[in-house]
Amino acid sequence: QVQLVESGGGLVQPGGSLRLSCVASGKIRSINAMGWHRQAPGKERELVAIMTSGRSPVYVDSVKGRFTISRDNAKNTVSLQMNSLKPEDTAVYYCNALLTPYYNSGARNYWGQGTQVTVSS
């Protein structure tokens, strides 16, 4: 019933910007955290940024100062503003949420399908 859908990926030149968005749909009781992971070919999936309720956002060191995560709790959305993009940012970016569905008793981890970000000249 709960689904995460990402949008905003694409091809951009080094130094350019992209904004990724993710919407969590379905009947949701509460959301503990929403964030973004990425996975490049041949590499393991890594945390990029995450916002946990009541806490400051957390970023992987390689994107600090360039990426900004934001949440709209009323709309169950999370966005990732990516500036000064580098070729090493090329990856599939996945939205992630830790949330409790309305008809379940405990929190569960959900993933979106992913959106491709390619940074190349």
Side-chain angles (χ1 to χ4, degrees), residues 5-10 12 16-23 34-39 46-51 57-60 62-72 77-85 89-96 115-117 119:
V5 179
E6 305 99 333
S7 62
V12 65
S17 298
L18 285 174
R19 184 176 179 86
L20 306 182
S21 296
C22 173
V23 179
M34 295 189 75
W36 295 90
H37 290 67
R38 67 185 180 187
Q39 187 168 26
E46 68 171 351
L47 172 71
V48 178
I50 189 167
M51 292 194 72
V58 175
Y59 299 90
V60 66
S62 60
V63 309
K64 288 181 178 178
R66 301 188 298 120
F67 292 10
T68 303
I69 189 171
S70 60
R71 279 179 64 182
D72 187 333
T77 62
V78 64
S79 297
L80 186 69
Q81 179 66 46
M82 304 185 294
N83 298 326
S84 302
L85 284 161
D89 295 318
T90 296
V92 177
Y93 284 70
Y94 296 91
C95 180
N96 171 250
T115 185
Q116 177 70 49
V117 172
V119 184

